[in-house]
Amino acid sequence: MNNSFIEINNISKHFEDVKAVNDVSFEIKEGEFFSLLGPSGCGKTTLLRLLAGFEYPTSGNLLIDGTDITALPPDKRPTNMVFQNYAIFPHLNVEKNIQFGLRKLGLSNDEIDKRVKGVLSLVKLEGYEERFSNQLSGGQRQRVALARALVRQPKVLLLDEPLGALDKKLRDEMQLELRTLQKNIGITFVFVTHDQQEAISMSDRVAVMNDGKIQQLSEPNELYKNPENIFVSDFIGETNFLKAETKSSDGEFINVSIEGLGEFKIKNNLNIAANSSDVVCSVRPESMMIAKVKSDWDICLDAKICQTSYLGEMTRFYVEAKGIDKIITVSSQHFDNQSFENNECFISMSLEDISLLNKK
Amino acid sequence: MIGFWRKIYSKYDNVKAYTLLSPALILVILAMVVPMALMLSFSMFTQVSMMEIDYTFTFQRYIDFFQKNLLVTLLIKSIKISFLVTLITLITAYPVCYYIAFYVKKNKMLWLVLLTLPFWTSYLLRVFSWKIILGTKGVINSSLINAGILSEPLTFLMYSETAVVITLTHAWAAFALLPLYVSLEKIDFSLIEAGRDLGLSRFEVFWKITFPLSLPGVIGAILIIFIPTVGDYVTPALLGGIDGRMLSNMIQAYFGKINNIPMGAASATIMLTTVVLITIIVSNVTKRLTQRLT
């Protein structure tokens, strides 16, 4: 499983002056559920289209399973795509749509029938063969698009925000289903999304992109717990940024003075330079504790609640802490908006939950 | 009075609807239904002398039509010329629209306006300009002779079927551009990409996706060009000569110098019926054809 299946080598794609993808290199393993995550305009869709063959790179090359596909047209590539708007042919019914990609594979009629039946049951669309695109719901269309791509048994399935058009509940269902499907058939999935929760919950590995570059490529939990830069930290989940300044460093640890909190010795995983003010500290809302009484955690601050929002499974508190001129977000499953009198509270955090990041 | 109408309106919704529709309805009746009815009824009368018409109903004019070889030949020729015009227009306009719809990124509107620019001048002016281009001493012939390629002017260019086909094609091209462009523009480009993604070549994608999806525009263009060109009489009269004459010139003559209004009305009715039948057949055949294509 360690061999690289898709190799992306120094790929750039420029549209006139815009560097949509800017010298990106990474590898995707066989059978992996790989996500490209980023805000709109970050280059993730361009990268996917480069893999599909709808765009050709300005420089760099692409390999799938050892074959250089950089110059191949889409119909000669071992990839298939599930389009964002599904791109179901409106003049063909579901069955014909799915058969569409099989014509050129030189299969017998029996084999075609067998494959179409198989894939229809895989995506649970038996009985819908005669329907046209405008007679299907969003979720069903998505399944047709998926079936149409999978029936060709591609080496790589490319998915361009396939769940974006579905409502929340259906999206959650499809996330689970897609994940199970991918595990069962074992095809490599490259999944593009701007939804960090979607990427984190489904993928084996995630590449976070911004400005045409990969910001971080790692497993979902790494991405969340150990973001490598301020962009990833901000984009994945929620966080509080605190002004900070580094002092002396002894390699593994570094002394940091954090606004309103004082000076601390924390782990320096990212090799951040000493004596720099170009740094920032990040603390996740859920790693902090809000309480009525003082705690014995590493840091405990006097605070005042400005606002609360009740979310059901937890409550989010927006608090003003002494010495910090920014509102801090703390979430708690234990307390809710009726727990505090006079809005007086204490917020506590432990040093290992504070991560130090470069500003740039 | 107002109270009365208010009561009627609140009771009967359809009265209200018809009142709102009435301006359009009156226009349609006056401009379409009445003339048609007049034409139909005149086709069943008989012209007795210059000023006199016998108003007893008869189908004799229709029998006359099919017994006169000239009229049937002219009808067939009208259809043939229109068919050629339609075909040539489609073949030339389709690639242009395809290009604008899928490859022009900015200022699509400007391209369309520029393409329709020649059509801002009058139809008659354009017909006369073709006379200057195609004539025996026209642009084409004189330059070919001056260049030493020809010693004699090409005679088939002017006062011929060719001249009529060329002129009509140019005259109606703009009307084909718009429906074709609209139907191509509506096609989601990701459908074409999906076709390529599913293993088809550019050519196959065109025939299996783009063309079938642009069919409403193609049928629209066919109807928009075929119907008016069958009945055109200005171009054949000015550029057609004897060879390029069409049935419409004959109809015009029946209402004019021949002065046989019932015969003219019958010819017009036959032409109208033929055109309606042909358009029905054409759109059905095109639809069937593409169903087989896909």
Side-chain angles (χ1 to χ4, degrees), chain B residues 28-221:
Chain B
V28 167
I29 289 170
L30 284 180
M32 296 270 300
V33 180
V34 172
M36 289 282 212
L38 277 173
M39 187 177 76
L40 263 177
S41 38
F42 266 95
S43 74
M44 294 179 197
F45 302 149
T46 314
Q47 188 91 31
V48 185
S49 68
M50 273 299 276
M51 301 302 289
E52 205 178 327
I53 288 174
D54 175 7
Y55 293 103
T56 42
F57 268 62
T58 166
F59 286 104
Q60 190 56 41
R61 300 292 81 72
Y62 291 92
I63 298 165
D64 288 352
F65 184 93
F66 289 104
Q67 277 171 349
K68 285 186 183 168
N69 260 337
L70 174 70
L71 292 179
V72 178
T73 316
L74 283 179
L75 176 66
I76 293 170
K77 180 170 264 178
S78 294
I79 290 163
K80 184 186 142 200
I81 288 177
S82 292
F83 177 77
L84 277 175
V85 169
T86 313
L87 195 72
I88 297 171
T89 316
L90 275 184
I91 292 171
T92 46
Y94 200 99
V96 176
C97 295
Y98 189 91
Y99 182 79
I100 300 175
F102 294 125
Y103 292 98
V104 175
K105 298 280 174 243
K106 287 176 201 162
N107 297 332
K108 289 188 181 201
M109 221 45 228
L110 186 72
W111 276 69
L112 283 177
V113 169
L114 285 177
L115 278 169
T116 54
L117 205 62
F119 306 93
W120 293 13
T121 55
S122 110
Y123 177 50
L124 221 56
L125 267 178
R126 272 177 286 139
V127 175
F128 276 109
S129 348
W130 276 107
K131 222 170 172 163
I132 295 168
I133 297 170
L134 300 172
T136 33
K137 287 188 178 162
V139 177
I140 293 178
N141 276 320
S142 53
S143 45
L144 283 175
I145 289 167
N146 288 341
I149 298 167
L150 293 175
S151 49
E152 293 280 301
L154 296 167
T155 46
F156 72 88
L157 278 181
M158 194 55 182
Y159 301 121
S160 65
E161 221 179 283
T162 321
V164 177
V165 171
I166 291 174
T167 312
L168 283 178
T169 304
H170 175 245
W172 291 93
F175 297 92
L177 285 170
L178 295 174
L180 284 176
Y181 170 76
V182 168
S183 72
L184 284 166
E185 170 69 22
K186 264 202 312 206
I187 298 175
D188 182 355
F189 196 73
S190 64
L191 292 173
I192 292 167
E193 289 184 336
R196 298 277 282 141
D197 189 60
L198 293 167
L200 268 63
S201 66
R202 267 167 206 276
F203 185 74
E204 290 165 316
V205 166
F206 176 78
W207 284 111
K208 291 188 192 308
I209 300 167
T210 320
F211 186 71
L213 288 176
S214 69
L215 213 60
V218 173
I219 293 174

Side-chain angles (χ1 to χ4, degrees), chain A residues 142-155:
Chain A
Q142 207 253 327
R143 284 159 199 268
V144 175
L146 197 62
R148 191 177 65 179
L150 284 174
V151 80
R152 280 171 59 89
Q153 305 180 345
K155 286 182 180 168

Side-chain angles (χ1 to χ4, degrees), chain A residues 36-239:
Chain A
L36 291 166
L37 171 66
S40 58
C42 73
K44 57 190 193 299
T45 298
T46 308
L47 196 52
L48 195 78
R49 290 171 59 81
L50 284 165
L51 279 170
F54 301 139
E55 310 281 357
Y56 294 99
T58 314
S59 62
N61 66 340
L62 296 164
L63 275 79
I64 291 181
D65 202 9
T67 318
D68 191 324
I69 57 151
T70 318
L72 290 181
D75 49 323
K76 301 277 185 280
R77 295 192 182 199
T79 58
N80 278 112
M81 181 135 152
V82 175
F83 288 81
Q84 185 169 20
N85 59 357
Y86 314 137
I88 311 233
F89 304 126
H91 59 305
L92 302 177
N93 63 21
V94 168
E95 192 180 16
K96 291 238 172 87
N97 258 284
I98 296 172
Q99 282 171 359
F100 196 89
L102 293 176
R103 305 159 186 263
K104 297 281 285 211
L105 295 183
L107 304 171
S108 68
N109 284 343
D110 283 354
E111 174 67 16
I112 289 179
D113 275 357
K114 218 179 94 190
R115 279 218 200 168
V116 171
K117 283 224 174 69
V119 83
L120 276 171
S121 86
L122 190 69
V123 299
K124 299 175 196 139
L125 270 182
E126 295 116 317
Y128 287 90
E129 289 87 346
E130 300 297 320
R131 299 263 193 116
F132 284 85
S133 161
N134 58 5
Q135 297 164 315
L136 298 171
S137 70
Q140 289 164 343
R141 268 180 225 162
Q142 207 253 327
R143 284 159 199 268
V144 175
L146 197 62
R148 191 177 65 179
L150 284 174
V151 80
R152 280 171 59 89
Q153 305 180 345
K155 286 182 180 168
V156 179
L157 188 75
L158 308 169
L159 302 105
D160 185 8
E161 306 210 18
L163 308 179
L166 306 179
D167 60 69
K168 172 100 173 72
K169 198 146 181 101
L170 198 57
R171 197 159 60 214
D172 292 348
E173 268 175 48
M174 280 311 293
Q175 278 180 19
L176 218 71
E177 223 172 280
L178 262 181
R179 180 67 177 152
T180 320
L181 186 83
Q182 192 268 340
K183 284 284 149 260
N184 288 340
I185 56 178
I187 290 176
T188 311
F189 275 33
V190 181
F191 186 93
V192 158
T193 180
H194 65 265
D195 184 331
Q196 40 103 3
Q197 179 260 333
E198 206 168 274
I200 286 180
S201 69
M202 294 166 84
S203 322
D204 294 317
R205 286 193 307 155
V206 180
V208 181
M209 286 187 76
N210 193 34
D211 288 335
K213 289 219 175 251
I214 303 281
Q215 301 294 325
Q216 185 169 354
L217 195 164
S218 48
E219 286 166 17
N221 52 350
E222 271 294 298
L223 218 53
Y224 190 77
K225 284 186 186 151
N226 298 314
E228 282 170 12
N229 60 37
I230 189 165
F231 176 80
V232 177
S233 171
D234 194 24
F235 194 71
I236 309 286
E238 258 193 89
T239 196

